[in-house]
Amino acid sequence: MKPAPFAYHRPATVTEAVSMLGEYGEDAKVLAGGQSLVPMLAMRLTHFDNLIDISRLSELNDITLQGNEVRIGAATPHALVGLDDEIADSVPLLTLATPHIGHFQIRSRGTLGGAIAHADPAAEYAAVALALDATIEATSSRGTREIPATEFFTGLWETALASDEILTAVRFPVATGRSGFGIAEFARRHGDFAIAGAAVGIELDEDDRITRCGIGLLGLGSTPLRATPAEEAVIGTPIGGLSAEEIGKLALSELTDIPADLQGSASYRARVGAAMVSRAWTQATTHAEEALNA
Ligand SMILES: Cc1cc2nc3c(=O)[nH]c(=O)nc-3n(C[C@H](O)[C@H](O)[C@H](O)COP(=O)(O)OP(=O)(O)OC[C@H]3O[C@@H](n4cnc5c(N)ncnc54)[C@H](O)[C@@H]3O)c2cc1C
């Protein structure tokens, strides 16, 4: 099938793009890498009279270290996120997450901002943004505001973005030397969205006790989620205080909205999810121990 007709706009600046969004209102949609929006248009699952292409705006295509955060422009393709040395040093969980996203062709066109704005419950970058307490920048003709990742994902494919706002950048905290990261997911075929998965970031104090823990869950609800019971249980404990299996079980213990579909029942997803949390936890703690011994 082909999409229904639409007008294609390529603004030269973010200011022009948000002005167009304001002008066309509900009849307009932002187009970034097109890896989610274009198939939906082609299958006529959705339709907009105006597509506003932000993918070539250089303002949205930069990666900068700003104090203790790395700011990544929304239109930065997944492939560049995965290859960038600054990100590998400062936000290694993004580097670990990138190869799990789709196929190389999708990673070449899909953008960081698009993956987060699209808010698929199984999106890896969304789980990473949650696990690391990232900050999302949203710009409209009224100005730019900041949205904590924990307040961004409001429902299935729904976010805190207003219809006239563009997600312009995501800021991730720089990893300290006493930290560790891991991501694990299960998909039936490589490149598919995961059935379930988890992204973990931990930080340790001088006594090697866990001072911060973020566990982002993917595919286990109508939005990407945080595994709060497991996070709370490990704070103040040394690595190994709780086993990886215990943390996996705790992470899933309060989930009430686990989806069931052709890929598997809710109880199957829960078992896979717990196993993925355990694996990601083991990776993160191994990573932290290696960093401490380096
Ligand atoms: C076969 C296949 C497999 C895939 N597997 C995965 C996977 O495993 N994991 C995963 O995370 N993704 C996967 N994807 C999706 C891919 O990562 C997309 O690139 C991503 O979800 C959307 O990014 P995009 O830049 O292509 O956005 P688009 O498709 O252009 O846009 C998607 C939505 O986000 C909105 N949007 C985009 N950018 C912005 C912005 N800056 N501000 C406001 N709104 C914006 C658009 O209006 C639209 O509603 C897969 C896609 C395909 C086709």
Side-chain angles (χ1 to χ4, degrees):
M1 281 176 83
K2 288 184 180 169
F6 57 82
Y8 172 80
H9 306 270
R10 196 192 293 164
T13 61
V14 170
T15 307
E16 197 185 334
V18 293
S19 152
M20 284 179 175
L21 270 184
E23 180 184 345
Y24 297 122
E26 299 294 330
D27 290 333
K29 198 72 173 162
V30 168
L31 172 67
Q35 298 304 292
S36 296
L37 182 57
V38 170
M40 290 171 75
L41 293 169
M43 288 187 276
R44 303 212 176 194
L45 297 173
T46 189
H47 169 252
F48 297 94
D49 290 333
N50 297 280
L51 293 191
I52 300 170
D53 186 351
I54 59 161
S55 63
R56 299 186 207 186
L57 293 179
S58 54
E59 302 166 70
L60 300 182
N61 243 308
D62 55 350
I63 299 167
T64 44
L65 181 63
Q66 297 183 342
N68 59 357
E69 291 183 316
V70 174
R71 182 179 184 277
I72 306 177
T76 308
H78 306 333
L80 288 187
V81 171
L83 289 172
D84 189 79
D85 290 339
E86 182 62 62
I87 292 177
D89 284 346
S90 304
V91 198
L93 192 52
L94 279 175
T95 311
L96 293 172
T98 301
H100 290 284
I101 303 175
H103 306 277
F104 179 74
Q105 292 84 345
I106 291 155
R107 296 195 293 273
S108 297
R109 297 299 301 253
T111 65
L112 175 88
I116 291 187
H118 187 57
D120 192 286
E124 288 81 0
Y125 284 160
V128 170
L130 283 175
L132 299 182
D133 280 316
T135 303
I136 289 152
E137 294 181 14
T139 302
S140 69
S141 46
R142 299 180 299 284
T144 297
R145 67 184 176 119
E146 298 181 348
I147 310 170
T150 48
E151 295 170 18
F152 188 74
F153 305 103
T154 54
L156 184 62
W157 297 312
E158 287 178 0
T159 71
L161 283 178
S163 61
D164 64 346
E165 281 181 318
I166 291 180
L167 190 167
T168 37
V170 186
R171 302 201 313 265
F172 294 88
V174 171
T176 68
R178 306 183 71 82
S179 48
F181 304 93
I183 183 163
E185 64 175 52
F186 176 74
R188 289 195 194 281
R189 297 177 309 185
H190 174 71
D192 285 357
F193 274 102
I195 290 176
V200 174
I202 57 169
E203 263 177 51
L204 307 174
D205 66 12
E206 296 299 316
D207 300 321
D208 295 350
R209 288 182 181 273
I210 297 166
T211 52
R212 184 191 176 277
C213 170
I215 303 177
L217 301 176
L218 49 115
L220 290 163
S222 53
T223 65
L225 298 166
R226 281 280 287 259
T228 313
E231 293 172 357
E232 288 175 352
V234 298
I235 297 295
T237 66
I239 288 178
L242 286 170
S243 71
E245 289 68 28
E246 287 172 307
I247 291 164
K249 279 187 194 149
L250 271 172
L252 276 281
S253 61
E254 289 182 6
L255 297 192
T256 53
D257 182 28
I258 300 177
D261 56 24
L262 290 175
Q263 303 282 350
S265 64
S267 63
Y268 170 72
R269 265 205 163 82
R271 286 203 307 280
V272 174
M276 293 305 113
V277 172
S278 302
R279 270 189 209 175
W281 179 263
T282 304
Q283 270 180 36
T285 52
T286 307
H287 184 212
E289 283 169 334
E290 284 169 2
L292 293 180
N293 296 329

Tab-separated table of all heavy atoms in Angstrom, residues 29-39 54 74 78 100-103 106 109-111 113-115 117-118 122-124 161 165-167 191-194, ligand 1:
chain	number	residue	atom	x	y	z
A	29	LYS	N	2.536	16.364	11.499
A	29	LYS	CA	3.334	15.427	12.295
A	29	LYS	C	4.797	15.624	11.948
A	29	LYS	O	5.153	15.845	10.777
A	29	LYS	CB	2.899	13.992	11.953
A	29	LYS	CG	3.312	12.966	12.978
A	29	LYS	CD	2.498	13.091	14.244
A	29	LYS	CE	2.771	11.986	15.228
A	29	LYS	NZ	2.320	12.349	16.570
A	30	VAL	N	5.631	15.494	12.978
A	30	VAL	CA	7.079	15.543	12.761
A	30	VAL	C	7.523	14.245	12.095
A	30	VAL	O	7.090	13.156	12.475
A	30	VAL	CB	7.802	15.698	14.123
A	30	VAL	CG1	9.295	15.448	13.980
A	30	VAL	CG2	7.532	17.069	14.717
A	31	LEU	N	8.386	14.379	11.086
A	31	LEU	CA	9.016	13.218	10.438
A	31	LEU	C	10.506	13.275	10.757
A	31	LEU	O	11.157	14.285	10.504
A	31	LEU	CB	8.804	13.282	8.920
A	31	LEU	CG	9.549	12.257	8.080
A	31	LEU	CD1	9.023	10.841	8.343
A	31	LEU	CD2	9.433	12.588	6.592
A	32	ALA	N	11.042	12.204	11.351
A	32	ALA	CA	12.491	12.174	11.645
A	32	ALA	C	13.118	11.109	10.739
A	32	ALA	O	13.207	11.303	9.526
A	32	ALA	CB	12.713	11.914	13.122
A	33	GLY	N	13.499	9.958	11.285
A	33	GLY	CA	14.083	8.911	10.442
A	33	GLY	C	13.034	8.173	9.621
A	33	GLY	O	13.367	7.459	8.668
A	34	GLY	N	11.783	8.291	9.999
A	34	GLY	CA	10.681	7.666	9.249
A	34	GLY	C	10.553	6.165	9.453
A	34	GLY	O	9.704	5.525	8.836
A	35	GLN	N	11.355	5.580	10.325
A	35	GLN	CA	11.375	4.114	10.451
A	35	GLN	C	10.150	3.557	11.174
A	35	GLN	O	9.841	2.376	11.051
A	35	GLN	CB	12.655	3.660	11.150
A	35	GLN	CG	13.907	4.022	10.392
A	35	GLN	CD	13.883	3.462	8.975
A	35	GLN	OE1	13.938	2.258	8.781
A	35	GLN	NE2	13.761	4.321	7.981
A	36	SER	N	9.442	4.393	11.901
A	36	SER	CA	8.171	3.979	12.498
A	36	SER	C	7.007	4.688	11.813
A	36	SER	O	5.986	4.068	11.523
A	36	SER	CB	8.157	4.306	14.001
A	36	SER	OG	9.154	3.563	14.662
A	37	LEU	N	7.168	5.980	11.546
A	37	LEU	CA	6.044	6.755	10.999
A	37	LEU	C	5.708	6.331	9.569
A	37	LEU	O	4.538	6.158	9.227
A	37	LEU	CB	6.388	8.257	11.052
A	37	LEU	CG	5.294	9.209	10.569
A	37	LEU	CD1	4.002	9.019	11.361
A	37	LEU	CD2	5.756	10.654	10.668
A	38	VAL	N	6.729	6.141	8.730
A	38	VAL	CA	6.449	5.861	7.318
A	38	VAL	C	5.719	4.518	7.129
A	38	VAL	O	4.724	4.466	6.393
A	38	VAL	CB	7.743	5.972	6.467
A	38	VAL	CG1	7.524	5.453	5.057
A	38	VAL	CG2	8.202	7.431	6.436
A	39	PRO	N	6.141	3.429	7.822
A	39	PRO	CA	5.341	2.200	7.687
A	39	PRO	C	3.892	2.391	8.142
A	39	PRO	O	2.978	1.855	7.519
A	39	PRO	CB	6.059	1.192	8.600
A	39	PRO	CG	7.436	1.733	8.774
A	39	PRO	CD	7.349	3.219	8.608
A	54	ILE	N	12.380	16.931	10.098
A	54	ILE	CA	13.419	17.585	10.910
A	54	ILE	C	14.760	16.853	10.809
A	54	ILE	O	15.717	17.225	11.469
A	54	ILE	CB	13.000	17.650	12.396
A	54	ILE	CG1	12.753	16.244	12.945
A	54	ILE	CG2	11.770	18.531	12.587
A	54	ILE	CD1	12.794	16.166	14.446
A	74	ALA	N	18.213	15.505	18.897
A	74	ALA	CA	17.154	14.521	18.642
A	74	ALA	C	17.327	13.797	17.310
A	74	ALA	O	16.954	12.633	17.180
A	74	ALA	CB	15.801	15.223	18.672
A	78	HIS	N	20.617	6.463	15.217
A	78	HIS	CA	21.050	5.415	16.146
A	78	HIS	C	22.497	4.994	15.842
A	78	HIS	O	23.289	4.763	16.752
A	78	HIS	CB	20.180	4.158	16.007
A	78	HIS	CG	18.712	4.387	16.153
A	78	HIS	ND1	18.163	5.410	16.886
A	78	HIS	CD2	17.659	3.688	15.664
A	78	HIS	CE1	16.844	5.330	16.832
A	78	HIS	NE2	16.515	4.302	16.091
A	100	HIS	N	21.074	-3.577	19.677
A	100	HIS	CA	19.823	-4.332	19.861
A	100	HIS	C	18.674	-3.744	19.037
A	100	HIS	O	17.613	-4.358	18.946
A	100	HIS	CB	19.413	-4.321	21.341
A	100	HIS	CG	20.305	-5.124	22.235
A	100	HIS	ND1	20.254	-6.500	22.293
A	100	HIS	CD2	21.275	-4.747	23.100
A	100	HIS	CE1	21.145	-6.933	23.172
A	100	HIS	NE2	21.786	-5.890	23.671
A	101	ILE	N	18.851	-2.533	18.505
A	101	ILE	CA	17.732	-1.866	17.818
A	101	ILE	C	17.679	-2.313	16.365
A	101	ILE	O	18.582	-2.008	15.569
A	101	ILE	CB	17.887	-0.328	17.861
A	101	ILE	CG1	17.983	0.160	19.307
A	101	ILE	CG2	16.710	0.333	17.146
A	101	ILE	CD1	18.257	1.640	19.431
A	102	GLY	N	16.626	-3.004	15.996
A	102	GLY	CA	16.351	-3.342	14.599
A	102	GLY	C	17.561	-3.889	13.863
A	102	GLY	O	18.355	-4.665	14.397
A	103	HIS	N	17.687	-3.453	12.609
A	103	HIS	CA	18.796	-3.868	11.736
A	103	HIS	C	19.644	-2.641	11.407
A	103	HIS	O	19.235	-1.521	11.673
A	103	HIS	CB	18.242	-4.453	10.430
A	103	HIS	CG	17.270	-5.544	10.655
A	103	HIS	ND1	17.645	-6.841	10.893
A	103	HIS	CD2	15.920	-5.514	10.725
A	103	HIS	CE1	16.571	-7.584	11.085
A	103	HIS	NE2	15.512	-6.811	10.991
A	106	ILE	N	17.881	0.183	9.670
A	106	ILE	CA	16.990	0.959	10.551
A	106	ILE	C	17.815	1.884	11.436
A	106	ILE	O	17.466	3.047	11.645
A	106	ILE	CB	16.124	-0.009	11.386
A	106	ILE	CG1	15.134	-0.700	10.460
A	106	ILE	CG2	15.414	0.694	12.532
A	106	ILE	CD1	14.665	-2.021	10.939
A	109	ARG	N	18.896	5.190	9.701
A	109	ARG	CA	17.902	6.251	9.487
A	109	ARG	C	17.184	6.652	10.772
A	109	ARG	O	16.854	7.816	10.961
A	109	ARG	CB	16.842	5.796	8.466
A	109	ARG	CG	17.356	5.520	7.070
A	109	ARG	CD	17.963	6.743	6.426
A	109	ARG	NE	17.028	7.853	6.312
A	109	ARG	CZ	16.475	8.251	5.192
A	109	ARG	NH1	16.749	7.633	4.073
A	109	ARG	NH2	15.648	9.282	5.172
A	110	GLY	N	16.885	5.683	11.633
A	110	GLY	CA	16.143	5.967	12.867
A	110	GLY	C	16.940	6.897	13.764
A	110	GLY	O	18.174	6.848	13.795
A	111	THR	N	16.244	7.758	14.483
A	111	THR	CA	16.918	8.764	15.316
A	111	THR	C	16.643	8.536	16.806
A	111	THR	O	15.609	7.972	17.178
A	111	THR	CB	16.421	10.179	14.937
A	111	THR	OG1	15.021	10.279	15.261
A	111	THR	CG2	16.619	10.475	13.455
A	113	GLY	N	15.878	10.817	19.020
A	113	GLY	CA	14.666	11.542	19.409
A	113	GLY	C	13.422	10.833	18.923
A	113	GLY	O	12.409	10.779	19.635
A	114	GLY	N	13.484	10.266	17.706
A	114	GLY	CA	12.326	9.550	17.167
A	114	GLY	C	11.992	8.336	18.001
A	114	GLY	O	10.818	8.071	18.303
A	115	ALA	N	13.016	7.592	18.412
A	115	ALA	CA	12.769	6.387	19.214
A	115	ALA	C	12.117	6.765	20.548
A	115	ALA	O	11.229	6.066	21.024
A	115	ALA	CB	14.074	5.632	19.445
A	117	ALA	N	10.442	9.740	21.221
A	117	ALA	CA	9.126	10.373	20.997
A	117	ALA	C	8.081	9.333	20.588
A	117	ALA	O	6.912	9.460	20.932
A	117	ALA	CB	9.244	11.447	19.920
A	118	HIS	N	8.500	8.321	19.853
A	118	HIS	CA	7.549	7.287	19.420
A	118	HIS	C	7.074	6.455	20.622
A	118	HIS	O	5.964	5.962	20.644
A	118	HIS	CB	8.203	6.393	18.358
A	118	HIS	CG	7.277	5.421	17.725
A	118	HIS	ND1	6.127	5.804	17.092
A	118	HIS	CD2	7.304	4.060	17.653
A	118	HIS	CE1	5.479	4.741	16.643
A	118	HIS	NE2	6.175	3.665	16.978
A	122	ALA	N	8.715	-1.262	23.923
A	122	ALA	CA	9.900	-2.126	23.812
A	122	ALA	C	11.113	-1.383	23.256
A	122	ALA	O	12.090	-2.020	22.852
A	122	ALA	CB	9.574	-3.334	22.928
A	123	ALA	N	11.092	-0.061	23.259
A	123	ALA	CA	12.225	0.706	22.707
A	123	ALA	C	13.394	0.720	23.692
A	123	ALA	O	13.234	1.095	24.857
A	123	ALA	CB	11.782	2.134	22.400
A	124	GLU	N	14.557	0.343	23.185
A	124	GLU	CA	15.737	0.255	24.057
A	124	GLU	C	16.138	1.624	24.607
A	124	GLU	O	16.465	1.761	25.792
A	124	GLU	CB	16.928	-0.344	23.292
A	124	GLU	CG	16.820	-1.813	23.000
A	124	GLU	CD	15.960	-2.136	21.775
A	124	GLU	OE1	15.442	-1.188	21.144
A	124	GLU	OE2	15.806	-3.327	21.460
A	161	LEU	N	4.844	15.131	25.464
A	161	LEU	CA	5.016	16.190	24.460
A	161	LEU	C	3.655	16.750	24.061
A	161	LEU	O	2.724	15.979	23.800
A	161	LEU	CB	5.663	15.630	23.187
A	161	LEU	CG	7.161	15.356	23.159
A	161	LEU	CD1	7.541	14.767	21.804
A	161	LEU	CD2	7.960	16.614	23.449
A	165	GLU	N	4.997	20.604	20.117
A	165	GLU	CA	6.385	20.546	20.607
A	165	GLU	C	7.217	19.545	19.802
A	165	GLU	O	6.712	18.485	19.408
A	165	GLU	CB	6.415	20.109	22.083
A	165	GLU	CG	6.083	21.242	23.048
A	165	GLU	CD	6.155	20.785	24.498
A	165	GLU	OE1	5.688	19.671	24.813
A	165	GLU	OE2	6.653	21.554	25.327
A	166	ILE	N	8.487	19.885	19.658
A	166	ILE	CA	9.465	18.959	19.073
A	166	ILE	C	10.419	18.539	20.185
A	166	ILE	O	10.858	19.370	20.989
A	166	ILE	CB	10.261	19.647	17.939
A	166	ILE	CG1	9.343	19.907	16.745
A	166	ILE	CG2	11.460	18.812	17.520
A	166	ILE	CD1	10.039	20.585	15.589
A	167	LEU	N	10.690	17.263	20.247
A	167	LEU	CA	11.748	16.786	21.151
A	167	LEU	C	13.060	17.207	20.489
A	167	LEU	O	13.362	16.762	19.379
A	167	LEU	CB	11.640	15.269	21.285
A	167	LEU	CG	12.481	14.564	22.344
A	167	LEU	CD1	11.987	13.139	22.534
A	167	LEU	CD2	13.952	14.579	22.021
A	191	GLY	N	16.810	-8.403	15.439
A	191	GLY	CA	16.280	-7.239	14.734
A	191	GLY	C	14.828	-6.959	15.057
A	191	GLY	O	14.343	-5.865	14.806
A	192	ASP	N	14.117	-7.956	15.587
A	192	ASP	CA	12.729	-7.700	15.986
A	192	ASP	C	12.714	-6.882	17.273
A	192	ASP	O	13.677	-6.905	18.047
A	192	ASP	CB	11.991	-9.012	16.275
A	192	ASP	CG	11.625	-9.751	14.999
A	192	ASP	OD1	11.899	-9.217	13.902
A	192	ASP	OD2	11.086	-10.864	15.103
A	193	PHE	N	11.581	-6.210	17.513
A	193	PHE	CA	11.387	-5.616	18.834
A	193	PHE	C	11.448	-6.741	19.863
A	193	PHE	O	10.987	-7.862	19.608
A	193	PHE	CB	10.013	-4.940	18.926
A	193	PHE	CG	10.004	-3.525	18.423
A	193	PHE	CD1	9.494	-3.220	17.165
A	193	PHE	CD2	10.496	-2.500	19.202
A	193	PHE	CE1	9.479	-1.912	16.711
A	193	PHE	CE2	10.487	-1.186	18.753
A	193	PHE	CZ	9.973	-0.894	17.504
A	194	ALA	N	12.006	-6.428	21.029
A	194	ALA	CA	12.168	-7.458	22.069
A	194	ALA	C	10.822	-7.861	22.657
A	194	ALA	O	9.919	-7.033	22.792
A	194	ALA	CB	13.057	-6.918	23.183
B	1	LIG	C1	11.709	-3.696	11.220
B	1	LIG	C2	11.887	-2.678	12.320
B	1	LIG	C3	12.448	-3.074	13.513
B	1	LIG	C4	12.615	-2.152	14.546
B	1	LIG	N1	13.155	-2.576	15.706
B	1	LIG	C5	13.295	-1.687	16.712
B	1	LIG	C6	13.831	-2.101	17.963
B	1	LIG	O1	14.204	-3.263	18.165
B	1	LIG	N2	13.927	-1.165	18.950
B	1	LIG	C7	13.528	0.143	18.757
B	1	LIG	O2	13.629	0.940	19.688
B	1	LIG	N3	13.049	0.539	17.599
B	1	LIG	C8	12.913	-0.326	16.572
B	1	LIG	N4	12.398	0.099	15.394
B	1	LIG	C9	11.971	1.510	15.285
B	1	LIG	C10	13.143	2.423	14.969
B	1	LIG	O3	14.060	2.456	16.016
B	1	LIG	C11	12.645	3.826	14.714
B	1	LIG	O4	13.656	4.474	14.090
B	1	LIG	C12	12.227	4.672	15.894
B	1	LIG	O5	11.260	4.065	16.682
B	1	LIG	C13	11.597	5.983	15.453
B	1	LIG	O6	12.617	6.828	15.079
B	1	LIG	P1	12.533	7.626	13.721
B	1	LIG	O7	13.590	8.644	13.775
B	1	LIG	O8	12.555	6.685	12.580
B	1	LIG	O9	11.117	8.365	13.858
B	1	LIG	P2	9.901	8.504	12.851
B	1	LIG	O10	9.478	7.192	12.339
B	1	LIG	O11	10.194	9.562	11.852
B	1	LIG	O12	8.805	9.070	13.872
B	1	LIG	C14	8.216	8.228	14.823
B	1	LIG	C15	7.244	9.042	15.688
B	1	LIG	O13	7.960	9.932	16.536
B	1	LIG	C16	7.634	11.296	16.235
B	1	LIG	N5	8.904	12.039	16.283
B	1	LIG	C17	10.068	11.676	15.721
B	1	LIG	N6	11.034	12.526	16.072
B	1	LIG	C18	10.449	13.472	16.850
B	1	LIG	C19	10.929	14.622	17.513
B	1	LIG	N7	12.228	14.972	17.461
B	1	LIG	N8	10.044	15.373	18.211
B	1	LIG	C20	8.744	15.027	18.305
B	1	LIG	N9	8.226	13.928	17.695
B	1	LIG	C21	9.081	13.172	16.971
B	1	LIG	C22	7.012	11.285	14.855
B	1	LIG	O14	6.114	12.367	14.680
B	1	LIG	C23	6.304	9.926	14.873
B	1	LIG	O15	5.090	10.037	15.574
B	1	LIG	C24	12.222	-0.789	14.341
B	1	LIG	C25	11.681	-0.378	13.115
B	1	LIG	C26	11.505	-1.314	12.111
B	1	LIG	C27	10.919	-0.851	10.796
